[in-house]
Amino acid sequence: MKEKMNLINADAFDELKKIKSNSVDLILTDVPYNISNYSKTDVFIGNRKLNTKIAEWDENYFDPSLLVDDFKRILKPDGNIFVFTSYNQIGLWHKFFDKEFDTFQFMVWHKTNPTPCVYKKTFLNSCELIICLWNKGHKWNFISQEKMHNFIETPICEYPERLTNPKHPTQKPVSVLEHIIKIASNENDVVLDPFMGVGSTGIACKNLKRNFIGIEINKEYFKAAKKRIL
Ligand SMILES: C[S@@+](CC[C@H](N)C(=O)[O-])C[C@H]1O[C@@H](n2cnc3c(N)ncnc32)[C@H](O)[C@@H]1O
């Protein structure tokens, strides 16, 4: 059976309301992080500007509590949720989601080639947090003790995988998404990414024979996702 790819160019907060209850096996998404407001200072290496704000879309306040009801309603009882988030938002996710699910854990994605730390006064920003949520009886493809650490290490998304036009500042490597999808879903399952950017989760689903629903508000990113996935 060929997997179904349903791509929607719209606001996720509206579209989630239209998704059928108990219809999604895995919600795997990478939401805005709201860290632009913490990194407005430009950093220069010679004339080259580094480490400025991430993107316009990251400046609007992102409220995880607005997703609780829809995520709970559309997820199947044996489904899983994985969300990339940031240090400043993880407390909010815990506050609103922990009480709604049996388990709240986190994974760390360690990037082996992060942006260098120019002034050498802080750590390199080499880790991303991924929160993981499920209820008892959830689908779980345990690989082996060695491969089930809540830690994954890869380089950041680089050329030729990394798109140059449009360039998405937070494009995720497909290998990281595939690792999660293999553990938390099965072939022919439905995976949802309501903040899909340039569609990396969709590519991972296509490679692994999962059906995919992807939502993205930005027209350019959506066009790029469609071109990559369909
Ligand atoms: C962190 S990025 C996701 C990047 C993605 N993982 C990839 O590999 O391309 C978050 C995305 O959410 C989109 N976004 C922000 N608000 C949205 C909304 N209300 N509805 C749908 N998409 C939204 C942004 O345009 C951005 O592309």
Side-chain angles (χ1 to χ4, degrees):
M1 197 183 79
K2 189 154 169 41
E3 59 284 349
K4 285 195 208 105
M5 299 280 138
N6 179 8
L7 307 183
I8 305 162
N9 184 199
D11 189 325
F13 292 96
D14 298 333
E15 293 303 313
L16 285 169
K17 306 255 171 289
K18 301 179 194 165
I19 297 178
K20 269 202 338 218
S21 300
N22 294 324
S23 64
V24 171
D25 298 279
L26 169 64
I27 300 174
L28 169 54
T29 194
D30 178 21
V31 299
Y33 321 104
N34 276 173
I35 45 177
S36 294
N37 292 331
Y38 292 91
S39 56
K40 280 197 162 153
T41 324
D42 292 342
V43 174
F44 288 90
I45 302 184
N47 289 332
R48 207 154 69 86
K49 221 195 293 184
L50 263 189
N51 257 348
T52 50
K53 67 177 184 186
I54 295 191
E56 297 283 318
W57 50 259
D58 198 53
E59 291 188 24
N60 304 327
Y61 179 63
F62 188 83
D63 183 355
S65 73
L66 299 179
L67 295 171
V68 178
D69 290 347
D70 283 320
F71 276 19
K72 274 189 73 180
R73 181 184 60 74
I74 64 183
L75 192 72
K76 291 185 187 171
D78 61 354
N80 293 293
I81 300 178
F82 283 71
V83 183
F84 288 78
T85 185
S86 47
Y87 65 94
N88 53 308
Q89 288 256 312
I90 195 159
L92 286 174
W93 283 92
H94 188 264
K95 177 173 174 191
F96 295 110
F97 279 75
D98 178 53
K99 56 182 187 260
E100 305 291 342
F101 291 87
D102 181 59
T103 299
F104 182 110
Q105 289 194 339
F106 71 93
M107 276 179 81
V108 172
W109 169 38
H110 179 237
K111 307 169 200 178
T112 51
N113 54 348
T115 308
C117 182
V118 180
Y119 299 134
K120 301 184 178 165
K121 302 276 188 205
T122 66
F123 291 113
L124 277 74
N125 193 8
S126 65
C127 289
E128 284 199 27
L129 297 166
I130 307 165
I131 63 159
C132 325
L133 296 155
W134 54 76
N135 284 317
K136 288 202 171 74
H138 69 133
K139 291 181 197 206
W140 203 242
N141 300 315
F142 194 93
I143 307 169
S144 66
Q145 300 295 342
E146 295 72 34
K147 292 197 172 142
M148 291 299 286
H149 290 214
N150 60 342
F151 176 84
I152 179 164
E153 192 170 53
T154 75
I156 57 168
C157 195
E158 292 176 302
Y159 184 79
E161 183 180 347
R162 179 136 218 157
L163 304 189
T164 48
N165 185 22
K167 193 167 183 323
H168 194 296
T170 68
Q171 183 184 337
K172 293 292 175 289
V174 168
S175 63
V176 173
L177 304 165
E178 284 184 352
H179 178 69
I180 296 170
I181 291 170
K182 278 184 202 161
I183 292 168
S185 69
N186 296 320
E187 278 191 13
N188 301 319
D189 277 358
V190 175
V191 178
L192 165 71
D193 183 350
F195 301 88
M196 75 166 162
V198 288
S200 315
T201 311
I203 302 288
C205 286
K206 201 168 167 181
N207 293 345
L208 296 173
K209 298 189 170 39
R210 271 58 167 178
N211 299 301
F212 177 63
I213 305 171
I215 308 171
E216 169 58 47
I217 200 164
N218 178 289
K219 279 198 172 43
E220 292 308 308
Y221 295 157
F222 179 78
K223 227 163 88 185
K226 208 167 151 188
K227 196 164 154 204
R228 284 177 90 198
I229 298 168
L230 298 183

